[in-house]
Amino acid sequence: MRGAIVGSSLVHLVVLVAVLAVRHGSSIVIAGPDVVQVALLDPAVSAPTPAPAPPPATPVPIAPPVKPEPEKGVRIAPPKPKPAKPAEPREETPPPALPSAKVGNAGLRGEVAVDARDFEFTYYLMLVRNKIAQNWAAPAGMAQGGTVTRAVVTFRIGRGGDVTGVQLERGSGVDFFDRTAVRAVILSDPLPPLPLAYTGADLGVHFGFEIGGP
């Protein structure tokens, strides 16, 4: 029994020595830090110099406007403005050669004026007034009393009594009254021939039609 224990101890001792020998022969590697490669730069080589900023643009000088020099020689003066032409005075109806008087049965009062200042044939103007009064009729609804309504019709009488240029010279403000006045003159064509002693080629007449009033 004792010999078996001794032999077993020897075997264990041999195994232990062998294990220690194996461990002593193998090298133990300890992990170190990561390897970092560092490039050494020459201090003489400096960092790249940034490109210089471009110089500011020089403003282009603006040339002053060139004023044309007056040409030498004869200068033509600009035309002077023409003075405004004065307004021609309006021709007014000449004074009546035959004053207003009632004629006919329609309540008409007729007044006759002529352009010829030296026309002295009153009888002829009475013939003209009576004939025109015969062809004039009072418009319906026109009152013979109250407000006076008046219109003037102008025309020309030729040597033979023909009537031309009939037009309303001054309106009354009542359209249908003015139309009856113009119509009465047109219906009176022809009028009596001009007097033989009158030397004018024709006679301008202004006939006043009037109705109403006292």
Side-chain angles (χ1 to χ4, degrees), residues 88-108:
E88 296 182 358
R90 182 180 178 182
E91 295 183 2
E92 297 186 359
T93 304
L98 193 63
S100 177
K102 290 185 178 181
V103 289
N105 298 324
L108 172 68

Side-chain angles (χ1 to χ4, degrees), residues 128 131-133 135 161 163 183-191:
V128 170
K131 185 171 183 180
I132 292 177
N135 293 314
V163 178
R183 182 173 180 272
V185 176
I186 294 175
L187 293 177
S188 301
D189 184 23
L191 290 168

Side-chain angles (χ1 to χ4, degrees), residues 18 29 35 75-76 94 103 139-142 147 156 160 174-175 187 199 204 212:
V29 179
V35 179
R75 295 184 180 179
I76 301 176
V103 289
M142 289 290 295
T147 305
R156 305 196 73 81
V174 182
D175 184 62
L187 293 177
T199 57

Side-chain angles (χ1 to χ4, degrees), residues 90-100 109-117 119 124-125 128-129 132 150-157 163-170 181 185 191 203-210:
R90 182 180 178 182
E91 295 183 2
E92 297 186 359
T93 304
L98 193 63
S100 177
R109 288 193 301 274
E111 179 183 273
V112 182
V114 294
D115 291 340
R117 302 291 181 178
F119 193 84
Y124 178 79
L125 299 180
V128 170
R129 184 172 64 182
I132 292 177
R150 188 174 189 274
V152 178
V153 178
T154 181
F155 55 94
R156 305 196 73 81
I157 304 175
V163 178
T164 59
V166 181
Q167 60 181 354
L168 183 67
E169 182 178 15
R170 185 179 304 166
V185 176
L191 290 168
L203 179 66
V205 179
H206 307 265
F207 197 101
F209 293 81
E210 187 175 302

Side-chain angles (χ1 to χ4, degrees), residues 119-121 123-124 127 157-161 192-203:
F119 193 84
E120 299 177 353
F121 306 95
Y123 79 93
Y124 178 79
L127 293 175
I157 304 175
R159 293 295 309 178
L194 293 174
L196 295 177
Y198 175 65
T199 57
D202 58 3
L203 179 66

